[in-house]
Amino acid sequence: RTVQLLLKNQENSSKDDSRIALLVLEFQRAFLRVCISMAKLSSTTVTDVAEETKMIINSGVRSLEQLQAMLKNEKEDEHKGSLLRKVFDLYVNRPLVGNAPIRKVVFRTPNESIPILSKILSEVDWAVCELLLKGTTLSRIRRMLNRVSKSSVNILSRSLIVLNLYFDDRLLGQHLLVGLIAKDMQQWGGVPSDLTDGTFGRPFMGRMAKPTYDTLKFLVLNRNRQCAYMEAVMLKEWSNLQNEAKVVDMRHRQEYPDGLLGENPLPPFFTQYAFLLTVWLMEHYVGLGIELELFYGQHELSIAYWYRDFLLSSLLNTLTKMRGTKMADRVAKAHAGAQGPSSIKKGKKKGAQKKKQPPASSLVTPEDSEDDLEFLWIQVKRNMCRGIIRFMAALNQAGALTVEKYTHTSHERRFEKRFEAFRAVTQPPSLTYDDFQQGSDFSSVSQKDLLKSVTESFKSGKSDVDKLIKQMNSVEASFSPIQESELRNLVKVCVGNSVFAQKLMQTNEGACGKVEFDL
């Protein structure tokens, strides 16, 4: 359409019209090249094509920025018939033949369309190209896809991600999935390569390949579809994997009764890893329910945050054990390397110096810093959940909140339906409504002490958030589990809730009114 208009007005067209036509054509060519190149990747050219696509995207974005600048310089009354406004035809969807009525579709104006097109191209840059270039480990890929999920990326970018997530028998066309799983187990829990490559470990790696791929693919779905996918497929599959992992660990303990080094019995490496990902899925499931407002009213929100607190605590406990095993193994290997071969025994020479053991700080890798950041982020979420639970309990004690009453159902029945999907999971065990009532019963705690606990939880949360903000500079933004803007908002939440808790402590007993809060 741009070419036709340019040819039609060629004789009397202005210099601006020619420039506009050129910019529109450059953008359309760039957009088409991006879609074609990303849809036809191969394992041998994936990195080269991704880098070239980033340059094409930058060119297309620059064209749109110049168009936007020219549009701002126009005066609406004087340039209603300008070429730029004709290019963005508001009636492009009208029927060309027949007598069917025109659809009542709201088309965007050029002022609205150009920023949206620029955003779509930019999303292909950081969501697709960056993933192909920087997704070298499972943890990094998972964090990058989690950002895609939370950012509500356009369907074009999400389709390109799914298309290129696994092709040519490799993840992102570059990495063997079994190898990435083994590295991920070594990174999180220090699992020895002798076990991941052994007689029992290697087949289990292949068994985990498809469920692990699903943990990545489902993050590209819409947020509301992720819950349904976890209910139908993922939770049951990972529960089965836990049972199989127990068998693998049992076989390894039989093969190495005194451990690999003959010092300590083997930890349940494979069971811990399967348990870790299962709990991560369950916590993600509850978090989505809160985000999508599936929990109605303050009572159900209290239940959701209480259950989430339990899952986050399980996650932290498991990670603490795995990280402790990994660091102990690293220090032992570094110490053994510093001592030299143990089989060679020689007399000590006079004046000989012992080799110094390398400090623990020298053993830290960039991946360790990223994991530390995620560990701290989980702590922040747990502190926030505990603060909210206790704050709601304090408001209930003050009579500021009312518990919903139902005629045709009960809170216990609603609890069962909300967490019905967790019944398929053996570990951690599915909790009941009685567990919630016992775990959230603060009747023996005075309101003043409870509010003090609320204030301490949010202060601890703010302190951890401040640490996160400082540590984010040591980790590339693409590999961070949370964006700095989200952390800034959490600081406001912590400060605001702490202030409200202090005000409630200063209020005379029985004088508190009704409270409303944002979901």
Side-chain angles (χ1 to χ4, degrees), residues 57-58 61 65 115-130 157:
I57 289 172
N58 292 332
V61 171
E65 289 174 350
I116 293 174
L117 291 172
S118 179
K119 181 184 177 183
I120 292 174
L121 272 182
S122 299
E123 287 176 348
V124 176
D125 186 358
W126 67 261
V128 184
C129 297
E130 291 289 317
S157 297

Side-chain angles (χ1 to χ4, degrees), residues 307-440:
Y307 212 128
R308 196 179 191 187
D309 175 35
F310 165 74
L311 294 173
L312 290 169
S313 299
S314 300
L315 204 58
L316 285 173
N317 292 336
T318 305
L319 282 174
T320 302
K321 294 178 183 177
M322 295 173 68
R323 286 156 59 91
T325 303
K326 179 185 73 172
M327 292 308 298
D329 181 65
R330 282 190 182 179
V331 171
K333 288 182 179 179
H335 181 69
Q339 294 295 328
S342 59
S343 59
I344 302 176
K345 296 183 180 180
K346 296 182 179 180
K348 292 184 179 180
K349 294 182 179 180
K350 190 174 182 180
Q353 295 181 353
K354 294 182 179 180
K355 292 184 178 180
K356 294 183 179 180
Q357 183 176 344
S361 58
S362 65
L363 305 176
V364 178
T365 64
E367 288 80 5
D368 293 332
S369 300
E370 298 160 14
D371 295 343
D372 292 341
L373 202 66
E374 183 162 358
F375 187 82
L376 190 56
W377 169 233
I378 296 173
Q379 286 183 333
V380 170
K381 291 193 289 185
R382 185 183 65 173
N383 288 331
M384 295 290 290
C385 287
R386 290 185 175 179
I388 292 172
I389 294 166
R390 293 166 185 174
F391 200 4
M392 288 185 176
L395 291 173
N396 275 321
Q397 284 187 358
L401 296 176
T402 56
V403 179
E404 299 83 1
K405 295 181 179 179
Y406 305 105
T407 304
H408 303 291
T409 186
S410 64
H411 290 294
E412 183 176 2
R413 181 57 180 162
R414 292 174 69 87
F415 182 98
E416 293 173 355
K417 293 300 292 182
R418 292 297 185 200
F419 304 105
E420 187 176 17
F422 292 170
R423 295 181 184 178
V425 179
T426 54
Q427 289 294 332
S430 178
L431 303 180
T432 64
Y433 188 70
D434 291 336
D435 296 329
F436 164 72
Q437 288 182 316
Q438 295 175 7
S440 60

Side-chain angles (χ1 to χ4, degrees), residues 26 30 214 398:
E26 286 179 351
D214 287 338

